[in-house]
């Protein structure tokens, strides 16, 4: 017996929404999905009129859907935004070069200008080279830190006002869980905010318009709209700690579909005791970007890579910051600790 | 490791090897330190020990016994009672099994010589509604600070004789394990109207808390000690996050839980990992009874709580610091308490779990997003809060999927899902959503819900005449 769409009741339902369990027809689903993102944008006041916004595009489903929806909403509700695509090339063969092709296709399909920045030109290191030095376990740290900076630098080159990324509800929920498991109180407090604080010190605010959209719904949307995206996992991802949090979240979702939003709700409503030590925001003394220590993380990581001490950025190393700044050589003992593990 | 003389018999935490006597000392010291550091138990206070029969709560019992016994250098100074709740009716255990485990526990309790209460969960159906109202803790200015209280007690101790203490302890023991068949049926109906195991466990937990609270209040106990270990609390923290209880995390897993007002729940065993407790009870023969619960022998994905437990245990295997990291995270949280006023409306607390409501719809919050999604996926009803049951029933049947705001099966008189929802916090809403028929809830919950409904309606009618929020007996006309 065919089920009718629960919204328009006229057309036949073709899918069941993972988020609420209602059955909807194609057009009602598109409309509901886009409306929710519009509500998110409006109620959080993410954008102002006339701004230039860079969309972080990786060629994957999140950023493709984000680009598409932003374009649609920009026209439908007249946000008066100037949109463009910004992509980062980490230098992972077999993964990133393929996805970049997808981004180039997106550029033509959506008629948005595109800029690509690469690790090679910014730092002098590709991810493949980094993994050869660091090993398979801690490399996500490097990639993530470098990518943040790369996005910022690319955005500054293009002179945009805001960056938006395709982080979806599953990502935010995973981050909450991971921060609890790792005991990272500072991040736990900040990770559920929909946009980073804009201090005006050369830091461009980043926001997540897809924060309340389930990953499954994003895939459903892309599937029914026949959007073109690249769907392979990063080849280095199986060893990441985040994988555990992700598996847990997937199991939770199978027991109770609303748990993803529940986790985000918990993350938003929990509060930290006063008197807990929190990092204070300052600037890096070498490159001038935001940092809570004397040297920003990417400077530390780069220093480690360049000196052949890849473990410099992993673990606690505050005491060495002074030495690095002053360009002093490290003692033999310190060097031994920081060298890479031989396989 | 510590005394460097005796041979080590066990290893805790990868590096620490203990010999038998050092371990015992370490264990006892931790218990005392926990109580002493937090300074919430005053001398001569009546404290109720909630024992479930498992190793953790029985170890707690034996610690208290040891602490109160004469040989200890610094005696613990409070008056204990024991409570055990027999929830066999909810878990589906037969009457003979229940009697057997009750008898075993009774023998353990009588050995300790403390007052004990053995109560069956069916009693929940005869609770008064006062259980759901947080009592005010008496802010009596004559109440001394902890240090003063202790000094006072030491001075008085010279006059206290042995007989006084003994008589205070050997009071009437209540074994109320008899229950009427209607209550038993009602309990079974309640639990079978819950569709998911997650909701069942949540409801069981809530009902248990209410029952303990009631017994504590009736018999003048101002503190309740629960035997949650570190590992158990880590699992609880994670599963509470998954259930949406972020706002109440600190009270659910912290050392003291003040949300009931006059009765404070403390967790002195929260520093012990389950390994330590297991070693202790094995080596020093702590008597305990294993009683199967709701989620015994279920597979990993049966409920959120069960899933979290297996997740944390597996992760602990690869990363041995997982549990302690989660524990430290929980120490850094605190509950947002609205400014405490004498006449704070009880309506601002959740009906079931009695923590502050976290459902204020902030713009751009997860809760707001959920409401938006619900609206967008359905035909908009004329006035969603006052929809007639007939219309909503029609809606539900044509959809064929998931109930809308008005419960399909609710009759006109009993509170529908929609009414109950406004009185509950985020996660209790989810539990009730999993319920098929809300009329199976125990009567005290339903009456209290109706009472609060009427009060809020009254308040709405006279809202323009109220001067402030916390007027006593509201309804003073503005002049």
């Amino acid at each position: 017996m065919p089920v009718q769409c629960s919204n328009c009741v006229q057309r036949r339902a073709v899918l069941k929404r993972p988020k609420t369990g209602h059955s909807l027809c194609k057009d009602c689903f598109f409309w509901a999905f886009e409306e929710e993102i519009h509500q998110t944008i409006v109620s959080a006041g993410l954008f102002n009129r006339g701004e230039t916004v860079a969309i972080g595009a990786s060629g994957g489903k999140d950023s493709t859907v984000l680009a598409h929806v932003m374009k649609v909403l920009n026209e439908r509700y007249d946000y008066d935004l100037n949109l463009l695509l910004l992509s980062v090339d980490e230098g992972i063969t077999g993964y990133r070069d393929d996805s970049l092709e997808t981004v180039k296709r997106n550029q033509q399909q959506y008629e948005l200008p595109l800029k690509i920045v690469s690790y090679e030109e910014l730092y002098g290191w590709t991810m493949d080279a980094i993994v050869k030095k660091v090993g398979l376990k801690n490399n996500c740290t490097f990639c993530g830190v470098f990518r943040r900076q790369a996005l910022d630098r690319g955005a500054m080159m293009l002179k945009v006002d805001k960056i938006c990324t395709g982080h979806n509800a599953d990502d935010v929920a995973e981050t909450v869980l991971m921060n609890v498991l790792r005991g990272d109180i500072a991040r736990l407090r900040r990770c559920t905010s929909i946009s980073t604080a804009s201090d005006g010190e050369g830091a461009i605010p980043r926001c997540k318009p897809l924060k309340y959209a389930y990953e499954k719904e994003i895939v459903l949307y892309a599937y029914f709209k026949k959007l073109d995206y690249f769907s392979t996992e990063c080849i280095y991802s199986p060893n990441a700690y985040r994988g555990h949090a992700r598996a847990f979240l997937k199991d939770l979702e199978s027991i109770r579909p609303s748990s993803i939003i529940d986790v985000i709700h918990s993350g938003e409503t929990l509060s930290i005791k006063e008197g807990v030590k929190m990092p204070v925001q300052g600037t890096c003394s070498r490159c001038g970007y935001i940092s809570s220590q004397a040297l920003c993380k990417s400077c530390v990581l780069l220093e480690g890579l360049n000196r052949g001490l890849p473990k410099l950025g992993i673990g606690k190393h505050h005491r060495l910051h002074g030495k690095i700044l002053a360009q002093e050589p490290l003692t033999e003992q310190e060097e031994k600790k920081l060298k890479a593990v031989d396989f | 490791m510590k005394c460097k003389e005796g041979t080590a018999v066990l290893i805790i935490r990868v590096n620490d090897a203990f010999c038998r006597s050092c371990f015992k000392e370490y264990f006892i010291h931790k218990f005392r330190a926990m109580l002493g550091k937090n300074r919430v138990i005053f001398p001569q206070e009546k404290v109720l020990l909630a024992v479930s029969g498992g190793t953790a709560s029985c170890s707690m019992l034996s610690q208290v016994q040891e602490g109160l016994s004469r040989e200890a250098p610094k005696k613990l100074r409070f008056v204990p009672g024991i409570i055990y709740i027999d929830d066999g009716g909810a878990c589906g255990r037969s009457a003979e099994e229940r009697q057997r485990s009750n008898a075993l526990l009774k023998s353990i309790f009588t050995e300790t010589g403390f007052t004990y209460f053995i109560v069956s969960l069916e009693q929940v159906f005869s609770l008064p509604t006062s259980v759901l109202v947080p009592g005010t803790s008496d802010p009596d200015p004559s109440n001394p600070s902890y240090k003063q209280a202790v000094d006072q007690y030491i001075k008085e101790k010279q006059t206290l004789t042995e007989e006084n203490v003994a008589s205070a302890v050997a009071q009437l023991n209540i074994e109320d394990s008899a229950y009427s068949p209607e209550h038993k049926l009602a309990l079974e109906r309640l639990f079978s109207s819950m569709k998911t195991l997650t909701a069942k466990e949540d409801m069981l937990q809530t009902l248990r808390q209410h029952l303990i609270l009631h017994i504590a209040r009736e018999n003048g106990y101002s503190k309740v000690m629960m035997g949650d270990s570190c590992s158990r609390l880590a699992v609880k923290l994670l599963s509470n996050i998954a259930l949406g209880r972020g706002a109440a995390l600190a009270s659910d897993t912290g050392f003291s839980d003040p949300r009931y007002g006059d009765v404070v729940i403390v967790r002195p065993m929260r520093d012990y990992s389950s390994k330590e407790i297991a070693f202790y009870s094995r080596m020093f023969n702590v008597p305990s009874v294993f009683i199967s619960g709701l989620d015994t022998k279920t597979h990993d994905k049966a409920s959120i709580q069960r899933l979290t437990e297996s997740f944390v245990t597996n992760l602990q295997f690869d990363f041995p610091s997982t549990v302690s990291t989660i524990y430290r995270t929980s120490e850094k949280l605190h509950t947002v308490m609205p400014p405490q006023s004498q006449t704070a409306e009880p309506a601002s607390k959740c009906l079931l779990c009695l923590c502050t409501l976290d459902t204020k719809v902030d713009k751009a919050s997860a809760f707001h997003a959920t409401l938006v999604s619900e609206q967008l996926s359905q035909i908009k009803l004329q006035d969603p809060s006052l929809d007639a049951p007939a219309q909503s029933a029609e809606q539900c049947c044509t959809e064929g999927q998931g109930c809308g705001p008005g419960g399909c099966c609710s009759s006109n008189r009993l509170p529908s899902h929609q009414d109950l929802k406004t009185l509950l916090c985020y996660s209790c809403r989810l539990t009730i959503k999993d319920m098929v028929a809300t009329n199976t809830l125990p009567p005290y919950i339903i009456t209290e819900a109706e009472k609060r409904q009427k009060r809020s309606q009254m308040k709405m009618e006279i809202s323009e005449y109220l001067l402030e929020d916390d007027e006593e007996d509201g309804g003073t006309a503005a002049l």
Side-chain angles (χ1 to χ4, degrees):
Chain A
M1 186 179 87
V3 180
Q4 297 301 106
C5 167
S6 60
N7 196 12
C8 60
V9 201
Q10 294 158 3
R11 290 179 284 264
R12 194 145 55 101
V14 296
L15 58 89
K16 189 168 144 183
R17 272 197 90 170
K19 199 170 187 180
T20 56
H22 295 113
S23 315
L24 293 175
C25 66
K26 223 166 49 163
D27 296 310
C28 290
F29 174 61
F30 292 156
W31 183 77
F33 187 75
E34 289 157 7
E35 262 312 291
E36 279 169 19
I37 300 181
H38 171 65
Q39 285 291 329
T40 311
I41 293 178
V42 163
S43 58
L46 290 182
F47 304 120
N48 300 315
R49 291 185 68 84
E51 279 185 337
T52 316
V53 173
I55 302 178
S58 61
K61 57 182 180 347
D62 299 329
S63 42
T64 309
V65 166
L66 178 66
H68 180 89
V69 172
M70 287 295 287
K71 183 147 182 286
V72 163
L73 292 179
N74 197 21
E75 284 161 17
R76 186 186 294 175
Y77 289 105
D78 189 29
Y79 290 162
D80 194 26
L81 295 175
N82 190 7
L83 296 173
L84 37 87
L85 296 173
L86 175 58
S87 195
V88 176
D89 175 18
E90 298 107 344
I92 304 177
T93 38
Y95 171 65
R96 193 45 87 200
D97 32 5
D98 287 343
S99 68
L100 278 180
E101 291 302 310
T102 316
V103 179
K104 289 189 188 129
R105 279 203 298 277
N106 283 341
Q107 175 205 10
Q108 286 158 355
Q109 287 159 356
Y110 304 142
E111 293 154 9
L112 297 171
L114 165 68
K115 168 129 185 84
I116 305 181
V117 287
S118 77
Y119 282 9
E120 184 71 53
E121 65 182 63
L122 285 177
Y123 309 115
W125 286 83
T126 63
M127 269 316 287
D128 286 340
I130 293 177
V131 172
K132 281 205 195 73
K133 280 276 178 137
V134 175
L136 289 170
K137 219 173 160 200
N138 283 319
N139 41 37
C140 288
T141 309
F142 285 85
C143 191
V145 171
F146 285 163
R147 191 181 312 120
R148 294 284 179 281
Q149 262 228 353
L151 267 180
D152 276 341
R153 290 199 200 188
M156 292 198 81
M157 279 193 250
L158 293 170
K159 296 199 195 348
V160 301
D161 300 304
K162 287 208 169 85
I163 308 177
C164 62
T165 52
H167 288 100
N168 55 37
D170 297 51
D171 291 331
V172 179
E174 272 167 39
T175 311
V176 172
L177 290 175
M178 208 172 83
N179 285 333
V180 172
L181 288 173
R182 287 237 140 143
D184 196 336
I185 291 282
R187 291 219 172 83
L188 191 58
R189 200 171 59 163
R190 297 191 307 240
C191 65
T192 43
S193 354
I194 194 166
S195 73
T196 60
S198 44
D199 272 29
E201 283 171 16
I204 303 184
R206 265 176 273 125
C207 62
K208 310 174 179 130
L210 295 182
K211 183 183 169 196
Y212 298 117
Y214 277 32
E215 192 167 2
K216 289 217 166 77
E217 301 211 331
I218 293 182
V219 176
L220 273 172
Y221 186 83
Y223 174 72
F224 278 110
K225 280 255 176 184
K226 299 191 175 48
L227 296 179
D228 179 23
Y229 68 86
F230 179 73
S231 62
T232 313
E233 268 193 4
C234 173
I235 49 180
Y236 300 125
S237 66
N239 299 309
Y241 191 80
R242 187 176 273 259
H244 294 118
R246 176 166 303 177
F248 180 52
L249 190 70
K250 286 283 163 249
D251 288 335
L252 275 181
E253 192 187 358
S254 66
I255 298 179
R256 194 187 256 192
S258 66
S259 16
I260 301 183
I261 289 274
D262 298 337
V263 172
I264 302 183
H265 178 84
S266 301
E268 286 174 352
T269 47
L270 63 80
S271 62
I272 316 282
K273 257 191 223 175
E274 293 133 35
V276 176
K277 240 178 61 162
M278 289 283 185
V280 175
Q281 197 182 358
T283 43
C284 170
S285 23
R286 195 183 270 189
C287 61
Y289 276 110
I290 294 185
S291 165
S292 60
Q293 320 286 341
L295 279 178
C296 71
K297 188 80 170 179
S298 54
C299 283
V300 173
L301 291 176
L302 262 182
E303 185 72 31
L305 285 175
N306 288 330
R307 285 212 211 178
L309 303 168
K311 283 200 177 292
L312 186 51
I314 318 286
K316 299 205 193 307
H317 48 82
H318 311 300
R319 281 168 273 145
L320 300 175
H321 279 194
K323 278 197 172 177
I324 299 175
L325 267 179
Q327 303 270 353
E328 281 169 23
L330 302 172
T331 63
E332 261 218 39
Q333 207 187 18
E334 288 163 348
E335 293 226 345
K336 233 198 304 183
K337 258 197 276 183
L338 299 172
K339 271 228 164 63
V341 179
D342 281 321
F343 285 103
Chain B
M1 166 190 100
K2 223 170 143 196
C3 58
K4 311 226 190 306
E5 295 175 346
T7 37
V9 292
L10 54 84
I11 297 186
I12 302 181
R13 289 193 304 250
V14 184
N15 281 332
D16 307 339
F18 283 96
C19 67
R20 214 184 140 96
S21 47
C22 282
F23 179 59
K24 185 161 185 171
E25 227 183 86
Y26 161 80
F27 203 83
I28 297 180
H29 169 76
K30 238 187 184 172
F31 189 74
R32 306 302 205 79
M34 187 54 106
L35 286 181
K37 201 165 59 158
N38 284 310
R39 296 187 169 200
V40 288
I41 311 247
F42 285 72
Q44 289 293 61
E45 215 177 344
K46 289 177 83 171
V47 177
L48 196 57
L49 305 172
V51 174
S52 65
T55 42
S57 39
C58 288
S59 311
M60 180 172 77
L61 185 57
S62 83
Q63 287 294 305
V64 170
Q65 244 186 305
E66 286 228 15
L68 280 176
S69 70
R70 221 64 53 70
E71 303 97 50
K74 270 193 191 174
K75 269 170 59 174
L76 290 176
R77 303 181 188 104
F78 54 83
V79 180
I82 308 178
I83 182 171
Y84 165 67
I85 297 196
D86 168 22
D87 51 13
C91 305
R93 288 164 60 231
S94 69
E96 304 91 52
E97 279 177 34
R98 293 170 74 171
Q99 273 187 359
R100 228 183 314 138
S101 41
N102 281 1
L104 275 172
L105 282 163
K106 194 170 164 192
S107 58
I108 298 180
F109 294 162
T110 30
E111 268 209 50
T112 63
F114 301 147
T115 324
Y116 62 85
F117 305 90
I118 298 188
V119 187
S120 57
L121 193 62
E122 281 81 356
Q123 296 286 327
V124 135
F125 285 94
S126 45
L127 283 181
T129 57
S130 58
V131 171
L132 294 172
V133 179
T136 43
S137 62
D138 196 10
D140 192 359
S142 71
N143 229 359
S145 73
Y146 186 76
K147 210 156 184 328
Q148 292 171 339
V150 170
D151 292 336
Q152 219 176 2
Y153 175 76
I154 296 184
K155 283 200 207 96
E156 283 170 13
K157 205 180 125 176
Q158 271 102 46
T159 56
L160 260 178
T161 58
E162 312 281 318
E163 291 91 50
N164 274 358
V165 177
S167 63
V169 164
Q171 278 173 18
L172 179 63
N173 295 324
I174 298 182
E175 187 191 332
D176 208 349
S177 53
Y179 44 85
S180 68
E182 305 107 46
H183 285 177
K184 180 163 181 296
L185 227 60
L187 191 67
E188 280 173 18
R189 262 193 320 162
L190 170 62
F191 276 90
S192 55
S193 83
M194 303 267 191
K195 292 185 282 185
T196 59
L197 188 58
T198 312
K200 278 192 201 175
E201 290 194 25
D202 207 31
M203 179 58 74
L204 180 62
Q205 177 77 0
T206 314
L207 292 178
R208 233 192 250 151
Q209 291 280 73
H210 288 173
L211 201 49
I212 292 180
L213 184 63
H214 174 72
I215 303 274
R217 273 196 184 142
E218 276 230 315
N219 293 289
Y221 286 94
S222 50
K223 298 271 184 327
V224 176
M225 272 196 193
M226 311 281 273
D228 292 310
S229 66
C230 183
S231 327
R232 184 68 66 85
L233 281 177
V235 170
K236 201 163 181 211
L237 185 82
L238 264 187
S239 50
N240 278 355
I241 290 184
L243 290 169
R245 274 192 201 280
L249 276 181
S251 359
D252 281 342
T253 55
F255 176 71
S256 70
D257 187 353
R259 71 175 103 141
Y260 297 110
D262 51 350
V263 177
V264 180
I265 301 195
V266 294
R267 299 185 177 96
M269 306 292 280
R270 71 189 289 261
D271 225 358
Y272 295 106
S273 72
S274 33
K275 235 187 185 179
E276 292 171 6
I277 292 181
F279 277 134
Y280 183 80
S281 59
R282 190 71 198 272
M283 285 168 53
F284 297 97
N285 294 323
V286 173
S288 65
V289 180
F290 174 72
I291 297 174
S292 55
L294 265 181
D295 61 356
T296 312
K297 280 197 179 176
T298 50
H299 64 98
D300 267 0
K301 290 208 201 164
S303 74
I304 289 186
Q305 291 88 342
R306 181 83 181 81
L307 175 70
T308 317
E309 193 185 342
S310 65
F311 173 66
V312 173
T313 323
N314 286 335
L315 210 56
Q316 175 80 0
F317 196 63
D318 293 318
F319 302 96
S321 59
T322 307
V323 169
S324 45
T325 311
I326 300 179
Y327 172 69
R328 269 185 294 116
T329 313
S330 76
E331 286 199 312
K332 297 194 181 139
L333 300 170
H334 83 112
T335 320
V336 175
M337 285 289 211
Q340 220 53 319
S341 55
Q342 284 295 57
T343 57
E345 287 274 345
S348 60
K349 302 246 175 187
C350 170
L351 181 66
L352 286 178
C353 64
L354 280 148
C355 54
T356 333
L357 284 179
D358 56 351
T359 47
K360 197 169 74 102
V361 184
D362 274 332
K363 285 187 122 193
S365 66
F367 188 49
H368 176 75
T370 323
L371 293 176
V372 168
S373 309
E374 287 275 321
Q375 281 176 352
L376 289 175
S377 308
Q378 290 174 303
I379 293 188
K380 285 200 205 351
L381 303 163
Q382 291 294 52
D383 200 335
S385 56
L386 301 172
D387 61 319
Q391 193 185 17
S392 64
E394 207 183 37
Q395 210 74 50
C396 289
C397 299
T398 48
E399 273 181 44
Q401 297 278 349
C403 257
C408 268
C409 324
S410 56
S411 68
N412 253 340
R413 191 184 75 84
L414 297 162
S416 63
H417 284 222
Q418 179 68 4
D419 299 332
L420 270 185
K421 267 190 187 175
T422 46
L423 300 169
L424 298 173
C425 70
Y426 189 86
S427 47
C428 291
R429 286 189 194 202
L430 293 174
T431 309
I432 295 294
K433 212 201 265 185
D434 271 346
M435 246 180 128
V436 170
T438 51
N439 55 352
T440 51
L441 280 172
Y444 70 98
I445 296 181
I446 298 186
T447 18
E448 179 70 19
E450 283 176 359
K451 193 173 85 165
R452 289 193 194 179
Q453 283 285 304
K454 292 202 187 89
R455 259 198 87 78
S456 66
Q457 271 180 345
M458 270 197 286
K459 190 167 176 189
M460 259 198 332
E461 282 175 19
I462 52 172
S463 56
E464 44 194 76
Y465 303 112
L466 286 178
L467 282 180
E468 280 167 40
D469 245 312
D470 294 355
E471 283 288 347
E472 288 221 39
D473 303 322
T476 335
L479 208 66

